[in-house]
């Protein structure tokens, strides 16, 4: 892991407009973070808090409303020429949540895996492409015979491994894993995580790991960003977040993790997060560094109160 | 274990498990099952659809080849042999399709029918102005009566002595031609229009849908009558009439498919890899809509044939002497009470076509149903 920032997101906003006159849906609201090369950043939060939208905006599936996205030292939001676009499409890849929906049922595994290579014209010869595909299949634990098969013949875990192979074949610098295990059987989840973990070690991959399963994120990520209502409320190393959460929302989220011990579990108390605590327009909530590398979203008044304490 | 209620999981409590496990995937047996192979396997199980497919195939083959091998031309008139009943060799020995006709005559006139008399069915008297007239109901061979003893018109002849067999298959050929051509063109227009409308969405979609509503709002019958009057009755103008509004249904269906699939994760995945719109439309979205397209097209064929017959029946038909099923039905209608065979055979063929196409379409729909995939 180096300090070189592979991805930097600055004040990213993505609003959705339902109608001309209605208020915008602020799916992502002034989000800033960065990821260092070789690092894994976990992005957690409840359903609908804007995690997926953030990921999709970063990889250019959505046009950001405002803000900047820098990848490998180049700004990648907005219009890009063909060469710049290729630098993104081949060097940043995504693994999706639903392994059933993310594989085209009409294509064979070979066609699916080779698609990105073909589009980005990475290996012009068919032989080379096929060789590379076999290596990818091997890397995720599938066999060569699987290449001619159609997705519906595979189990969920196998399909997710195909998705990973598809993402890896273009030799990306960074992978956005959008809840890659939440649609899977618990017994398969470990398998997929292990594959990702091994690949991370072997290839030095940078991963933006989007999930709502806190216990998974914790042990998979170096740093964790907690999102709520389109904002990052707390950003720190995963150890800090879990051991010394600062923001009320983070505390509430952590209190919801079940403990695999019935005696403790019985007495576990949920800390509920009051929605009215969300920030109004005059609060100027900002990420403030409370400890080195530990950022918490605080309004002006909260910040003053914290500094006094 | 701590009894502390606020105890949380710490990093030491968890670890990666199963890391040493090698993943073993069983090899698949058998051949890869592609989309069409899968659909075919399911289609085969539906016996009614298979029978329907065979019937359609039979009718299509007859429409192509029967006129070629028929002994008479479709416009060849035998003016002295008007309205002969069906007569088929071999079958006539069994008493069906033997060219017979039942007529009622005065007993005194029996001599006229001596040569062609087959059977006297009934003798009765008819009281007319207090006079008793002996009557006979007899079955005669119409062919011998009209001096056509050597001829075999399999389905009989019409009022100017044209062979119904050849006219019927020729008519079926034209009806099928109109049906298939119009559906094919409708599909092309519908797919292109629906794809653009559904894929781009937003304002493009809004404008395109309003245009459709305007076109669809014009009454079909009025428009088609005007069209036929303007263009003149012919196969081309008929196909055009059916295209005028026929593509709308197809385009709506395609649009719905695009709305459904365009946000699917595999489409997004392909987009993140830099795929162009063209690739997304033709490689990812359209192939997955192929099942509904084929099904809808199959259902559209009988309805196009039906529209054609319907317009022909109203007198807007194909120009004489060219037959179509609708024209034949319209012609036969005048003789319905005396010589029902002129209506019966075209009606049978069109009913069979309708039924077969609908059953076939049902089978296809089930076979292509994505929910049935892999079963």
């Amino acid at each position: 892991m180096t300090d070189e920032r592979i991805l930097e997101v600055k004040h990213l906003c993505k609003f959705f407009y339902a109608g001309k006159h209605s208020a915008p849906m602020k799916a992502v609201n002034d989000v800033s973070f960065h990821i260092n090369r070789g690092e894994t950043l976990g992005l957690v939060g409840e359903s609908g808090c804007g995690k997926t939208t953030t990921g999709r905006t970063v990889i250019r599936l959505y046009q950001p409303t405002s803000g900047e996205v820098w990848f490998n030292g180049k700004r990648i939001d907005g219009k890009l020429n063909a060469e710049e676009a290729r630098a993104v499409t081949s060097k940043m890849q995504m693994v999706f949540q639903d392994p059933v929906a993310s594989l085209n049922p009409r294509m064979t595994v070979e066609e699916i895996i080779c698609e990105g290579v073909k589009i980005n014209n990475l290996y012009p010869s068919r032989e080379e492409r096929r060789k590379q595909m076999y290596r990818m299949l091997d890397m995720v634990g599938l066999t060569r015979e699987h290449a001619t098969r159609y997705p519906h013949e595979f189990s969920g875990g196998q399909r997710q491994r195909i998705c990973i192979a598809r993402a890896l074949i273009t030799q990306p610098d960074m992978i956005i894993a959008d809840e890659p295990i939440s649609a899977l059987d618990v017994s398969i989840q470990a398998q997929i995580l292990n594959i990702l973990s091994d690949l991370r070690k072997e290839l030095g991959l940078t991963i933006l790991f989007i999930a709502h399963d806190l216990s998974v994120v914790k042990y998979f990520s170096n740093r964790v960003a907690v999102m709520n209502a389109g904002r990052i409320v707390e950003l720190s190393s995963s150890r800090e977040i879990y051991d010394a959460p600062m923001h009320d929302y983070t505390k509430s989220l952590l209190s919801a993790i079940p403990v695999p011990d019935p005696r403790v579990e019985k007495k576990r108390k949920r800390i509920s997060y009051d929605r009215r605590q969300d920030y109004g327009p005059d609060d100027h909530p900002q990420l403030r560094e409370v400890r080195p590398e530990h950022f918490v979203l605080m309004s002006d008044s909260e910040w003053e109160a914290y500094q006094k304490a | 274990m701590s009894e502390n209620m606020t105890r949380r999981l710490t990093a030491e409590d968890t670890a990666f498990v199963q890391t040493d496990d090698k993943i073993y995937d069983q090899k698949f047996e058998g051949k890869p099952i592609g989309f069409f192979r899968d659909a075919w396997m399911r289609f085969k199980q539906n016996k009614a659809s298979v029978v329907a497919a065979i019937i359609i195939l039979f009718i299509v083959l007859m429409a192509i080849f029967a006129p070629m091998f028929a002994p008479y031309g479709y416009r060849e008139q035998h003016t002295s042999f008007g309205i002969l009943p069906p007569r088929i060799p071999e079958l006539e020995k069994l008493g069906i399709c033997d060219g017979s006709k039942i007529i009622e005559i005065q007993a005194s006139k029996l001599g006229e029918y001596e040569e062609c008399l087959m059977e006297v069915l009934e003798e009765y008297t008819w009281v007319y102005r207090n006079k008793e007239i002996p009557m006979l109901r007899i079955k005669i061979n119409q062919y011998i009566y009209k001096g056509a003893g050597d001829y075999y018109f399999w389905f009989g002849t019409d009022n100017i002595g044209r062979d119904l067999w050849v006219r019927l298959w020729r008519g079926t050929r034209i009806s099928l031609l109109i049906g298939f051509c119009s559906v094919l063109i409708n599909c092309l227009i519908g797919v292109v229009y629906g794809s653009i409308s559904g894929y781009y969405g937003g304002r493009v979609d809004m404008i395109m849908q309003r245009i459709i509503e305007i076109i669809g709002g014009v009454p079909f019958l009025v428009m088609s009558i005007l069209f036929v009057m303007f263009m003149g009755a012919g196969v081309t103008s008929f196909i055009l009439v059916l295209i005028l509004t026929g593509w709308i249904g197809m385009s709506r269906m395609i649009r719905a498919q695009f709305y459904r699939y365009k946000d699917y994760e595999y489409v997004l995945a392909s987009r993140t890899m830099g795929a162009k719109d063209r690739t997304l439309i033709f490689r990812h979205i359209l192939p997955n809509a192929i099942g509904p397209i084929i099904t809808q097209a199959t259902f559209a064929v009988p309805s196009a044939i039906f529209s054609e017959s319907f317009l022909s029946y109203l007198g807007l038909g194909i120009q004489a002497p060219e037959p179509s099923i609708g024209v034949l039905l319209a012609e036969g209608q005048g003789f319905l009470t005396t010589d029902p065979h002129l209506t019966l055979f075209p009606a049978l063929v069109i009913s069979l076509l309708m039924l077969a196409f609908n059953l076939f379409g049902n089978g296809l729909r089930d076979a292509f149903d994505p929910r049935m995939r892999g079963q």
Side-chain angles (χ1 to χ4, degrees):
Chain A
M1 205 192 306
T2 62
D3 270 353
E4 184 200 349
R5 291 185 175 185
I6 192 164
L7 180 86
E8 183 145 28
V9 175
K10 293 177 184 166
H11 305 290
L12 187 75
C13 290
K14 175 66 195 173
F15 300 164
F16 291 102
Y17 298 89
K20 258 182 190 163
H21 305 293
S22 59
M25 208 319 251
K26 295 182 179 176
V28 178
N29 193 358
D30 194 18
V31 161
S32 305
F33 62 90
H34 70 268
I35 308 179
N36 295 325
R37 190 173 289 279
E39 185 190 38
T40 301
L41 177 72
L43 195 57
V44 287
E46 63 191 34
S47 302
C49 71
K51 316 181 290 277
T52 297
T53 312
T54 306
R56 289 185 178 180
T57 313
V58 166
I59 203 167
R60 291 165 53 78
L61 278 175
Y62 299 144
Q63 270 291 331
T65 310
S66 65
E68 296 173 12
V69 181
W70 293 74
F71 178 64
N72 272 341
K74 292 197 186 79
R75 195 170 163 181
I76 59 160
D77 55 300
K79 281 232 182 307
L80 299 181
N81 64 36
E83 202 179 316
E84 289 170 326
R86 189 176 297 167
V88 181
T89 54
S90 63
K91 289 298 171 195
M92 196 196 285
Q93 290 289 344
M94 195 156 183
V95 176
F96 290 87
Q97 174 174 9
D98 184 354
V100 178
S102 56
L103 299 175
N104 187 341
R106 300 293 306 280
M107 290 161 77
T108 60
V109 169
E110 176 173 0
E111 289 170 316
I112 289 169
I113 295 181
C114 287
E115 197 189 8
V117 178
K118 245 186 224 169
I119 292 170
N120 292 298
N121 211 8
L122 296 178
Y123 306 106
S125 88
R126 205 190 159 85
E127 292 312 306
E128 189 64 26
R129 218 159 46 206
R130 181 162 283 170
K131 229 186 251 170
Q132 195 69 14
M133 177 203 62
Y134 285 142
R135 280 184 208 132
M136 289 302 135
L137 280 178
D138 186 52
M139 211 185 262
V140 297
L142 292 166
T143 65
R144 288 180 171 216
E145 289 82 52
H146 291 132
T148 54
R149 298 287 164 164
Y150 291 89
H152 71 98
E153 298 175 70
F154 293 90
S155 71
Q158 288 174 318
R159 288 188 209 202
Q160 198 60 294
R161 280 186 269 148
I162 296 170
C163 292
I164 294 171
R166 166 174 66 180
L168 289 178
I169 196 168
T170 58
Q171 310 193 344
D173 293 331
M174 190 179 115
I175 283 186
I176 298 178
D178 185 2
E179 308 204 17
I181 55 164
S182 50
L184 299 175
D185 213 285
V186 180
S187 58
I188 302 296
Q189 289 186 350
Q191 187 191 66
I192 297 298
L193 279 178
N194 287 333
I195 287 177
L196 280 175
S197 174
D198 291 348
L199 291 173
R200 185 170 61 172
K201 264 180 243 156
E202 280 168 37
L203 310 172
L205 272 179
T206 310
I207 302 179
L208 173 59
F209 191 79
I210 302 172
H212 55 237
D213 189 337
L214 293 156
S215 35
V216 168
V217 170
K218 178 172 181 183
Y219 300 102
F220 198 72
S221 329
N222 306 103
R223 284 189 304 141
V224 177
V226 182
M227 268 188 95
N228 178 37
R231 284 192 171 96
I232 290 184
V233 296
E234 194 159 357
L235 174 64
S236 178
S237 71
S238 47
R239 186 168 280 258
E240 282 252 332
I241 286 258
Y242 286 85
D243 292 348
M246 297 281 297
H247 197 274
D248 286 345
Y249 182 75
T250 315
K251 287 179 189 162
S252 158
L253 212 55
L254 289 172
S255 75
I257 308 176
V259 185
D261 178 345
R263 278 172 300 173
V264 182
E265 177 67 15
K266 252 184 207 163
K267 294 173 190 158
R268 182 167 62 93
K269 271 216 181 111
R270 287 288 314 270
I271 304 168
S272 59
Y273 178 69
D274 191 352
R275 288 272 154 222
R276 281 169 298 184
Q277 280 172 266
D278 277 350
Y279 303 98
D282 306 322
D283 292 336
H284 306 293
Q286 264 183 330
L287 275 183
R288 311 192 195 238
E289 193 162 10
V290 293
R291 251 172 275 158
E293 292 298 307
H294 189 160
F295 299 88
V296 179
L297 188 76
M298 284 184 181
S299 66
D300 289 344
S301 52
E302 279 175 324
W303 179 234
E304 275 167 35
Y306 175 77
Q307 278 178 322
K308 271 179 207 163
Chain B
M1 184 66 63
S2 156
E3 287 292 304
N4 185 352
M5 292 201 304
T6 56
R7 186 194 132 83
R8 265 191 242 102
L9 279 179
T10 59
E12 288 69 35
D13 289 337
T14 49
F16 285 105
V17 292
Q18 304 175 6
T19 42
D20 304 330
D21 285 11
K22 196 91 181 78
I23 301 163
Y24 293 108
D25 292 303
Q26 61 194 53
K27 282 183 187 167
F28 289 131
E29 300 292 326
K31 279 185 183 154
I33 297 168
F35 176 76
F36 286 106
R37 205 183 134 90
D38 182 61
W40 168 241
M41 276 161 54
R42 248 174 295 118
F43 182 79
K44 270 194 306 196
Q45 290 169 1
N46 190 338
K47 294 285 173 273
S49 306
V50 175
V51 172
I54 292 169
I55 291 174
I56 293 171
L57 195 70
F58 172 75
I59 292 179
V60 169
L61 287 179
M62 285 307 276
I64 295 170
F65 295 111
M68 288 184 193
F69 298 112
Y72 316 106
Y74 74 96
R75 52 194 298 179
E76 187 182 337
Q77 301 175 9
H78 311 82
T79 31
S80 47
F81 305 153
I83 317 196
L84 288 175
R87 187 186 188 200
I88 302 172
E90 298 308 314
L91 269 184
E92 68 179 342
K93 287 172 191 158
L94 302 170
I96 35 171
C97 294
D98 52 0
S100 66
K101 195 174 181 183
I102 293 162
I103 53 170
E104 289 175 16
I105 52 161
Q106 291 180 23
S108 55
K109 293 201 174 137
L110 190 60
E112 286 178 32
Y113 298 95
E114 208 163 348
E115 269 183 29
C116 55
L117 182 66
M118 293 168 86
E119 200 180 349
V120 177
L121 295 168
E122 197 186 351
E123 292 177 48
Y124 60 99
T125 49
W126 176 38
V127 182
Y128 179 70
R129 297 178 72 192
N130 295 331
K131 231 197 230 168
E132 286 186 359
I133 303 170
M135 296 287 290
L136 288 175
R137 209 154 74 85
I138 57 171
K139 192 171 165 186
I140 59 162
N141 187 330
Q142 190 80 349
Y143 280 71
I144 295 167
Y145 178 66
K146 293 222 169 170
D150 299 335
Y151 289 88
Y152 284 91
F153 296 109
W154 289 8
F155 282 180
T157 59
D158 67 3
N159 57 335
I160 46 174
R162 289 179 296 192
D163 182 29
L164 186 63
W165 167 265
V166 64
R167 278 180 72 72
L168 176 61
W169 293 118
R170 175 112 187 161
T172 311
R173 186 195 279 182
I174 284 165
S175 291
L176 283 172
L177 184 76
I178 291 173
F180 281 128
C181 279
S182 63
V183 167
L184 200 70
I185 299 172
N186 279 340
C187 278
L188 281 178
I189 301 176
V191 165
V192 172
Y193 198 94
S195 304
I196 295 171
S197 184
Y199 183 77
Y200 291 103
R203 185 166 297 166
V204 176
D205 179 46
M206 210 273 288
I207 293 168
M208 290 178 92
Q209 290 309 306
R210 294 300 86 73
I211 293 173
I212 279 190
E213 273 160 31
I214 292 167
I215 297 175
V218 181
F220 174 69
L221 201 55
V222 175
M223 192 148 73
S224 43
I225 289 172
L226 287 174
F227 212 84
V228 171
M229 280 167 70
F230 183 72
M231 292 272 301
V235 176
T236 330
S237 61
F238 252 103
I239 293 175
L240 285 175
V241 162
L242 293 175
I243 290 167
L244 275 180
T245 53
W247 57 274
I248 291 178
M250 182 60 84
S251 86
R252 286 217 171 111
M253 194 274 294
I254 299 287
R255 176 174 170 265
Q257 294 291 328
F258 268 79
Y259 262 85
R260 184 170 147 204
Y261 285 114
K262 75 174 173 183
D263 288 330
Y264 253 54
E265 288 182 342
Y266 62 79
V267 179
L268 295 180
S270 175
R271 187 175 284 168
T272 61
M273 289 186 273
K276 295 192 178 63
D277 287 352
R278 195 162 31 111
T279 319
L280 294 178
I281 292 176
F282 293 109
R283 191 91 183 89
H284 290 287
I285 306 179
L286 216 48
N288 286 294
I290 199 86
I293 293 175
I294 293 177
T295 309
Q296 176 129 347
T298 313
F299 283 122
V301 171
S303 78
I305 293 174
F306 193 79
S307 302
E308 183 276 324
S309 304
F310 164 73
L311 288 173
S312 297
Y313 197 78
L314 288 181
L316 296 163
I318 307 283
Q319 216 136 34
E322 201 67 57
S324 78
I325 297 184
V327 169
L328 291 175
L329 283 170
E331 283 174 1
Q333 179 217 17
F335 308 94
L336 188 58
T337 47
T338 49
D339 300 276
H341 69 270
L342 283 179
T343 326
L344 178 72
F345 292 111
L348 265 181
V349 170
I350 197 171
S351 309
L352 260 181
L353 261 185
M354 295 286 137
L355 195 67
F357 264 109
N358 279 310
L359 283 175
F360 182 58
N362 276 337
L364 283 183
R365 190 186 52 208
D366 292 345
F368 284 130
D369 191 341
R371 278 166 300 181
M372 310 275 280
R373 188 111 169 88
Q375 283 179 15

